[in-house]
Amino acid sequence: MAALDALALLGRTFLKFLEATGRLAVFVWNAFSRAWRPPFYFRAVGQQMIDIGYYSLPIVGLTAIFAGMVLALQSNIGLARFEAETQIPEIVAFSITRELGPVLAGLMVAGRIGASMAAEIGTMRVTEQIDALVTLATDPFRYLVFPRLLAGLITLPLLVLVADVIGIFGGFVVSVQTFGFNPANFINKVWDYLVWDDIFDGLVKSSVFGFIVTLMGCYQGYYSRGGAEGVGRATTNAVVSASILILVADYFLSALMFGV
Amino acid sequence: MTNGQPKIRIRNLHKSFGSNQVLRGLNLDIGVGESVVVIGGSGSGKSVLLKCILGLVTPEEGSIQIDGKEVVHISERDREELLKQFGMLFQSGALFDSLKVWENVAFGLIQAHGMPRKQAKGVALEMLASVGLDARVAEMAPAELSGGMRKRVGLARAIATSPKVIFFDEPTTGLDPIMGSIIDRLIVHSVKQMQVTALSITHDMASARRIADRVAMLYNGEIIWDGPVAEIDNADNPHVDQFIHGKAEGPIQMQVRKP
Ligand SMILES: Nc1ncnc2c1ncn2[C@@H]1O[C@H](COP(=O)(O)OP(=O)(O)OP(=O)(O)O)[C@@H](O)[C@H]1O
Ligand SMILES: [Mg+2]
């Protein structure tokens, strides 16, 4: 009997998963299929880009610089075992642009933006503001959801570009200060080693992460119910689901990019 | 007033939330330019009725026709077009708290009707003045307003686009009696001057008498009585009689423990 119960639970969970996936797909479809019809809310897109990009600069910058610093520190120890300490610049540049820049920025933005979007849209839902939008002949998908998704897609790569520079600078500081690297040598090595694909692949990833974060924020907020408590739950769900999806997507995108 | 085609025609409307059957076969006609007031106990489904007509809530069964056209399952695009001729005052106000008061009032003009911001602001200030709010309030955020002020801003927003049909969900609840009368007069004025069809919900019988051409009573998910406002005192219906006189004893049993 216990086995049967477990099976039933598995089945139910699977069905729930399918239902949620379907609902999410319809949500995305609504946002993109209706976006081609006017009116277009350019102001809203601009506002969201500032919110996601500009106001996230401090925390993303801080995360990136420490990531770069610790990377230099760790690789020095690791590389010393092969007497390959001179490869620090390459390791730092490669890891930051391909992996740490996009992932850390994505996770930070998930905490900052995903949560606030879910809270804002969730509050609008439970206080009937979304209903009010509809009665004022304004489509919430075009007015609220699409500008956020678009801003996420565009802005995160820009943010990550900045994070890449700051992150590599962090590695540079530690290498030069602590390990006595020649500054010009460090920069030259990074410059010679990095290929356009490293940066480009990182930016593609971050665009996907930006989409995941804003989508989870909007989706969880849009379907929240049950007053303040429901909004709180939506906020938590948005951050948790976005963080998990970012790490999962990161693996598959990397595999795809390396043709594994 | 129900000569010709009604503006809104509702037949056999059913809506439940889980096991809670709120509307159970509701019928109602509202004529063009008519002002109908729906009365009924708290939680009887009055707000749900308005939301069904607007398409915010989808009924399980029944028909809603507006100008003779079925609207329950129309497309998103058609609904958007349809709602341009509607105005709605929400019971809770439902003001956009990220926007200033005047931007709330001007929202429909700017977003749905494409009016330039400057011109829309002028209209918004006029609308706010007609509900007794000045230019200083126009620059405030909704969070800074009192309950009654929010209601009046919601009212100004509902009428700003000069809609053909306006729904008022408890327009005078939370207002002092004088402001209540002023708002009632504004509603009557809109209906008579602009040929607006109005559907209002209220618990305030004095207000109902002032704004209604016709009164309909919602009980147990149906309209159990419906007639001209003048006949309400001789309705010869024990439910209506109990309700308008606010008697604790009668056929309507509220689910409370007796003290
Ligand atoms: N979104 C919803 N989900 C679940 N139940 C709901 C929802 N909206 C309304 N209800 C239920 O429908 C019933 C009618 O609610 P409604 O808001 O229409 O009452 P009302 O007649 O407007 O009352 P009041 O005069 O107090 O505003 C209530 O029992 C309420 O619990
Ligand atoms: Mg109500």
Side-chain angles (χ1 to χ4, degrees):
Chain A
M1 270 300 112
L4 220 56
D5 280 352
L7 210 62
L9 183 71
L10 197 70
R12 256 200 309 277
T13 315
F14 184 64
L15 284 180
K16 269 220 178 97
F17 171 75
L18 283 186
E19 188 196 328
T21 314
R23 219 159 54 142
L24 192 63
V26 171
F27 190 83
V28 173
W29 168 253
N30 278 341
F32 282 87
S33 63
R34 296 185 198 169
W36 310 111
R37 259 186 303 149
F40 305 111
Y41 300 101
F42 298 111
R43 264 168 74 104
V45 179
Q47 224 157 38
Q48 292 303 325
M49 287 181 69
I50 292 173
D51 225 31
I52 300 173
Y54 186 71
Y55 289 114
S56 299
L57 272 177
I59 66 165
V60 170
L62 207 64
T63 328
I65 198 159
F66 278 102
M69 284 163 68
V70 82
L71 207 54
L73 212 57
Q74 297 272 26
S75 14
N76 183 58
I77 300 167
L79 293 172
R81 292 181 192 161
F82 311 103
E83 287 167 19
E85 296 98 317
T86 51
Q87 311 288 327
I88 294 179
E90 288 89 336
I91 296 278
V92 169
F94 185 82
S95 315
I96 291 279
T97 53
R98 279 205 170 260
E99 195 57 41
L100 290 175
V103 171
L104 289 177
L107 292 177
M108 285 297 143
V109 171
R112 218 183 79 81
I113 297 296
S116 82
M117 275 182 188
E120 186 185 0
I121 296 181
T123 304
M124 291 185 75
R125 164 61 73 200
V126 302
T127 57
E128 299 185 315
Q129 291 178 52
I130 291 185
D131 287 345
L133 270 182
V134 174
T135 62
L136 289 163
T138 302
D139 180 2
F141 279 96
R142 266 178 286 163
Y143 181 74
L144 292 175
V145 178
F146 183 71
R148 284 168 170 75
L149 297 183
L150 186 63
L153 274 169
I154 304 173
T155 319
L156 216 67
L158 300 178
L159 191 63
V160 166
L161 214 49
V162 179
D164 285 351
V165 174
I166 297 178
I168 293 175
F169 177 72
F172 170 85
V173 169
V174 170
S175 306
V176 172
Q177 291 292 321
T178 315
F179 304 129
F181 243 85
N182 176 307
N185 189 20
F186 186 100
I187 293 170
N188 278 336
K189 286 193 86 165
V190 169
W191 200 250
D192 289 342
Y193 172 78
L194 268 192
V195 290
W196 168 240
D197 270 2
D198 296 332
I199 297 172
F200 182 76
D201 286 357
L203 297 187
V204 170
K205 271 187 185 176
S206 34
S207 192
V208 173
F209 298 166
F211 180 71
I212 289 175
V213 168
T214 46
L215 176 63
M216 285 300 117
C218 293
Y219 174 79
Q220 299 288 355
Y222 194 84
Y223 287 108
S224 66
R225 58 192 70 244
E229 198 195 332
V231 175
R233 219 172 318 122
T235 309
T236 312
N237 287 346
V239 177
V240 173
S241 56
S243 306
I244 294 173
L245 283 176
I246 282 177
L247 296 173
V248 173
D250 185 41
Y251 175 80
F252 286 105
L253 285 173
S254 304
L256 203 69
M257 283 162 181
F258 292 130
V260 180
Chain B
M1 274 265 217
T2 38
N3 49 342
Q5 191 179 57
K7 184 78 187 171
I8 302 174
R9 184 174 188 272
I10 304 169
R11 287 294 175 273
N12 192 33
L13 194 66
H14 286 263
K15 177 68 201 173
S16 344
F17 294 99
S19 61
N20 178 10
Q21 296 186 319
V22 180
L23 303 178
R24 312 178 194 180
L26 181 143
N27 301 313
L28 185 65
D29 280 348
I30 302 162
V32 178
E34 192 180 28
S35 172
V36 173
V37 166
V38 175
I39 58 174
S42 186
S44 59
K46 305 181 296 297
S47 299
V48 170
L49 169 63
L50 296 191
K51 288 181 188 171
C52 283
I53 302 174
L54 292 168
L56 299 173
V57 160
T58 312
E60 287 96 38
E61 207 188 313
S63 128
I64 300 171
Q65 293 181 355
I66 293 170
D67 293 323
K69 194 171 158 283
E70 193 59 49
V71 298
V72 174
H73 291 294
I74 57 174
S75 72
E76 212 59 46
R77 199 189 284 219
D78 290 343
R79 174 148 336 262
E80 203 174 295
E81 225 23 69
L82 178 76
L83 288 177
K84 283 187 182 164
Q85 53 163 326
F86 277 72
M88 165 85 178
L89 164 65
F90 283 84
Q91 186 170 0
S92 61
L95 302 180
F96 304 127
D97 36 37
S98 59
L99 301 179
K100 287 179 189 167
V101 165
W102 79 262
E103 289 173 321
N104 263 280
V105 178
F107 192 91
L109 294 170
I110 296 173
Q111 305 297 355
H113 296 261
M115 187 185 278
R117 274 176 80 83
K118 224 174 168 163
Q119 191 187 347
K121 186 170 186 179
V123 179
L125 290 176
E126 256 172 60
M127 288 296 157
L128 285 168
S130 69
V131 295
L133 297 171
D134 58 26
R136 195 177 50 84
V137 176
E139 298 296 331
M140 288 161 87
E144 300 171 83
L145 306 181
S146 77
M149 287 161 92
R150 287 162 157 267
K151 190 124 255 180
R152 285 185 278 158
V153 174
L155 191 72
R157 185 175 71 181
I159 59 178
T161 52
S162 314
K164 290 263 152 270
V165 185
I166 316 185
F167 293 170
F168 299 103
D169 198 342
E170 308 198 2
T172 55
T173 307
L175 300 185
D176 63 80
I178 301 169
M179 192 43 80
S181 297
I182 292 173
I183 296 302
D184 286 343
R185 218 163 54 199
L186 184 75
I187 293 173
V188 172
H189 175 84
S190 320
V191 174
K192 294 289 164 270
Q193 295 292 303
M194 308 197 291
Q195 270 285 301
V196 165
T197 305
L199 177 56
S200 318
I201 292 173
T202 185
H203 294 293
D204 176 357
M205 287 315 298
S207 165
R209 285 171 207 274
R210 284 194 290 260
I211 61 180
D213 295 325
R214 209 148 56 82
V215 174
M217 172 139 181
L218 179 57
Y219 181 69
N220 262 345
E222 290 178 61
I223 299 293
I224 55 157
W225 186 85
D226 163 17
V229 65
E231 284 173 22
I232 191 170
D233 292 307
N234 322 312
D236 203 23
N237 180 312
H239 293 88
V240 175
D241 189 62
Q242 184 193 354
F243 192 86
I244 64 174
H245 295 109
K247 295 179 197 157
E249 306 298 326
I252 306 174
Q253 294 297 323
M254 298 276 173
Q255 301 295 322
V256 291
R257 226 178 73 196
K258 298 265 160 42

